[in-house]
Amino acid sequence: MSSKPSFRQKIGFELFRKYRSNAQKIHDLNYIFWECTLKCNLNCLHCGSDCKKESAVKDMPVEDFIKAIDDITPIVNPNKTMIVLTGGEPLMRNDIEKCGKMLYDRGFPWGMVSNGFNFKKQRLQILQQAGLRSVTISLDGLEESHNWLRGNTRSYENAIAAIKNLVSFPDIRFDVVTCVNQKNINELEEIKELLLSMGLKEWRIFTVFPIGRAKQHKELQLDPVEFKAVFDFIAKVRKSGEIKLNYGCEGFLGGYEGKVRDNLFFCRAGIQVASVLADGSISACPNLRENFIQGNIYKDSFREVWENRYENMRNRKWLKTGECATCKDFKYCEGNGLHLRNEKGELLLCHLNKIKEGEKIEKD
């Protein structure tokens, strides 16, 4: 495959650019993350939040989060607004069911992202009764690779058990996400076969970006040839139809757009996505930290913040600096995912340029 888009793809990019521009103006909120805890029962090498078993930030009372949701409800359609609980590890809290039931009673579908370590069948049943509709479980390689990344020798077996449990709950939509790194990149075919053998229907792949702990571990970053190989693998699997496989929502990919995920690249942070962080900060994607915070639910109205702030996310011309300044694809990319910007707004990774570098090395 080539990073150079076809004429037909370019037409698609232009049409999608108009849709994105309109979405920025309307900023119709339909996806809310709640970073419900910074506690975690694992010690993952790639953790973007540097979560630990005990956190200095106390867990927010469920009632405080629900109050923020009630504040913003008049400007959203609850039935079409997904709320996702993330962390840390959400299951470190013993009141997730309470929160879920309160959301369900208000008409909001809700889900969660979990490492699967404590995802027991009995608790899953209780969560479903509280309205749980979607789950994402992390599986980052075969046993040795997964346990290495997650820092626990029991992590793999528990994640596999969680996946098997979820398969037996057909009313809960779930997928598995895999963070590809140098340790597991040669295991992708085997991981695919393992997931298929367990009856999995949806799989997502991410590449690790250098924030949080991941900055300290160079072995998590793929070289350009490996990076390109990930997208070739995804495109091949999607074409085969064996499993619904998508690359994560980050990064404009040129000629790979439309071939490695269901939608064209669009960083929806602050445009259709908001988040409430563990300390009450109002942001967008949970991976966006201090320099993208728009307010705090303990002193600001969530509704007012969504309606009147987020300017640096809805107008991204300010990102046309550095390597983006002269890039002819900026109009399609708008500076990549915001989580790939450092505190100064500088781009940490350009997906398209890294793919092109991989192509060049392969040709040479």
Side-chain angles (χ1 to χ4, degrees):
M1 286 189 64
S2 172
S3 63
K4 186 176 181 179
S6 65
F7 178 72
R8 184 176 180 179
Q9 282 177 304
K10 288 183 177 180
I11 293 175
F13 294 168
E14 287 295 333
L15 292 173
F16 192 75
R17 187 158 70 103
K18 294 178 181 178
Y19 160 76
R20 188 183 64 222
S21 177
N22 188 54
Q24 290 168 336
K25 294 173 184 175
I26 297 173
H27 50 265
D28 190 13
L29 178 59
N30 55 34
Y31 214 90
I32 301 172
F33 287 98
W34 181 32
E35 186 182 58
C36 66
T37 184
L38 287 180
K39 295 177 182 177
C40 189
N41 44 17
L42 296 179
N43 188 32
C44 306
L45 296 180
H46 66 310
C47 181
S49 302
D50 198 19
C51 298
K52 301 172 183 176
K53 189 172 182 179
E54 294 298 329
S55 172
V57 179
K58 292 183 179 181
D59 288 348
M60 179 191 300
V62 167
E63 291 78 7
D64 293 357
F65 175 65
I66 294 297
K67 184 178 178 181
I69 293 300
D70 287 342
D71 179 40
I72 205 163
T73 297
I75 62 168
V76 302
N77 181 339
N79 299 141
K80 296 182 179 180
T81 304
M82 186 69 185
I83 298 181
V84 177
L85 278 52
T86 183
E89 169 54 43
L91 293 180
M92 291 292 284
R93 295 186 63 134
N94 58 15
D95 57 359
I96 292 302
E97 296 85 350
K98 175 183 176 181
C99 178
K101 183 64 166 58
M102 294 174 80
L103 292 172
Y104 180 75
D105 289 344
R106 287 162 168 76
F108 289 94
W110 69 278
M112 62 189 302
V113 178
S114 174
N115 58 37
F117 195 78
N118 280 333
F119 222 123
K120 308 300 182 185
K121 195 165 189 175
Q122 184 178 7
R123 189 159 194 199
L124 183 54
Q125 290 173 331
I126 297 171
L127 289 165
Q128 185 183 37
Q129 291 168 5
L132 178 67
R133 288 295 172 263
S134 72
V135 177
T136 292
I137 298 290
S138 295
L139 185 71
D140 297 307
L142 302 180
E143 187 165 9
E144 181 182 346
S145 301
H146 177 92
N147 288 343
W148 166 78
L149 189 68
R150 296 280 162 180
N152 188 297
T153 56
R154 292 171 47 224
S155 179
Y156 177 82
E157 63 179 280
N158 286 16
I160 293 295
I163 294 168
K164 290 180 177 178
N165 283 335
L166 279 161
V167 170
S168 65
F169 285 78
D171 291 336
I172 298 177
R173 181 176 180 177
F174 83 101
D175 67 353
V176 165
V177 61
T178 300
C179 289
V180 182
N181 56 75
Q182 290 183 24
K183 191 93 167 177
N184 66 13
I185 187 171
N186 295 319
E187 300 174 350
L188 294 180
E189 189 67 34
E190 292 176 89
I191 296 170
K192 181 198 74 176
E193 294 301 324
L194 172 64
L195 296 176
L196 286 171
S197 72
M198 291 189 288
L200 193 84
K201 297 179 180 179
E202 296 187 48
W203 183 24
R204 273 184 297 153
I205 282 179
F206 284 84
T207 43
V208 182
F209 40 90
I211 65 172
R213 285 187 207 140
K215 289 192 295 186
Q216 305 165 22
H217 299 278
K218 293 183 179 180
E219 66 271 28
L220 296 177
Q221 307 302 320
L222 302 174
D223 67 37
V225 173
E226 292 170 330
F227 194 72
K228 178 181 179 296
V230 170
F231 300 106
D232 289 332
F233 171 80
I234 296 172
K236 182 185 72 172
V237 172
R238 284 176 63 88
K239 191 173 183 179
S240 73
E242 296 172 274
I243 190 171
K244 185 178 180 181
L245 176 58
N246 277 285
Y247 182 62
C249 59
E250 61 185 65
F252 176 71
L253 307 172
Y256 285 87
E257 287 292 333
K259 299 178 182 178
V260 296
R261 56 188 164 209
D262 293 343
N263 302 304
L264 298 181
F265 171 69
F266 179 13
C267 177
R268 301 173 190 267
I271 299 168
Q272 295 174 336
V273 178
S275 69
V276 176
L277 303 184
D279 64 354
S281 294
I282 301 170
S283 186
C285 166
N287 289 316
L288 301 180
R289 308 313 286 189
E290 288 80 4
N291 49 330
F292 288 103
I293 287 173
Q294 303 297 308
N296 191 293
I297 64 167
Y298 289 111
K299 62 179 182 179
D300 300 301
S301 161
F302 192 9
R303 173 178 175 173
E304 187 278 329
V305 168
W306 180 258
E307 289 184 316
N308 300 309
R309 303 188 195 180
Y310 289 93
E311 178 61 23
N312 61 343
M313 303 185 204
R314 295 171 186 166
N315 184 342
R316 304 194 180 185
K317 293 179 180 179
W318 64 275
L319 295 173
K320 197 171 175 61
T321 59
E323 61 186 295
C324 296
T326 57
C327 179
K328 59 181 175 54
D329 291 312
F330 182 85
K331 59 185 178 181
Y332 306 134
C333 175
E334 291 200 333
N336 215 326
L338 289 176
H339 66 284
L340 291 169
R341 297 275 166 172
N342 64 17
E343 294 78 6
K344 299 178 181 179
E346 298 166 333
L347 184 62
L348 298 172
L349 169 66
C350 174
H351 287 64
L352 184 56
N353 283 346
K354 193 165 184 176
I355 292 172
K356 288 179 178 178
E357 188 177 350
E359 287 177 329
K360 186 175 184 300
I361 293 171
E362 285 181 340
K363 289 178 181 179
D364 293 343

